[in-house]
Amino acid sequence: FNKDKTALRGYPRGKPDTSYTVPLSVTTLERNSFNRVDALTSVTLPNGLKTIKDYVFYRCANLATLNLPSSLEFIGNYSIRGLKVSSMVVPENIKVLNHYALSGCDDLVSVELPSTLTEINWFAFAYDYKLKTVTCKAATPPIITAGVFKNTPIASATLRVPAGSKALYQAAEGWKDFGTVEEMP
């Protein structure tokens, strides 16, 4: 931790615990703070956490439970890549999903994206082989850079969008490749 315990700098890789609760005082998870911690299966994040920097949960291969708090404003590159989560809800304050943000999550089946999302960068959902449902609450399709869904079977997946937005998503680069696009009530 830093001096005032607002930033978690690193979690010990060799620690055998399977779960960890980040203290309430923490507002920032520093770069690489949980990188390749294989023992963890569950991490509880505090409401008040604002920033997850680059590579934070990168390749935490057994991490199956991770709920992002509503206070979160930034998710860095490679930050939640290669986890064992089956679903993920990206909170409302997130405007950009950065490079490889949720890629390589072998068990990821569903994702919910916020209405505030405006951009998804390179390979954010690449190699998510089991992804079946993406719910995007943004009325306007977020801009997607090339490769966002690389090797992810979106042609057989369902994209759920706000009422009145179906035609926009069906015409938008990256989004139009979903097999099914349906409007939410």
Side-chain angles (χ1 to χ4, degrees), residues 20-22 26 29 34 41-52 56-57 63-75 79-80 83-92 94 102 108 110-112:
Y20 179 70
T21 299
V22 176
V26 173
L29 297 179
F34 288 88
T41 59
S42 172
V43 173
T44 302
L45 301 175
N47 201 16
L49 182 71
K50 299 215 178 283
T51 304
I52 296 177
V56 169
F57 294 105
L63 187 56
T65 304
L66 180 70
N67 296 314
L68 302 177
S70 61
S71 57
L72 196 62
E73 296 173 355
F74 179 81
I75 300 171
S79 54
I80 41 183
L83 307 185
K84 208 175 189 78
V85 295
S86 61
S87 66
M88 182 63 65
V89 175
V90 178
E92 277 300 316
I94 300 298
L102 267 162
L108 187 65
S110 67
V111 174
E112 183 178 299

Side-chain angles (χ1 to χ4, degrees), residues 110-132:
S110 67
V111 174
E112 183 178 299
L113 302 173
S115 64
T116 53
L117 193 66
T118 60
E119 184 179 339
I120 303 176
N121 288 317
W122 299 310
F123 306 105
F125 295 101
Y127 311 103
D128 291 336
Y129 302 114
K130 294 182 183 175
L131 190 61
K132 297 278 183 236

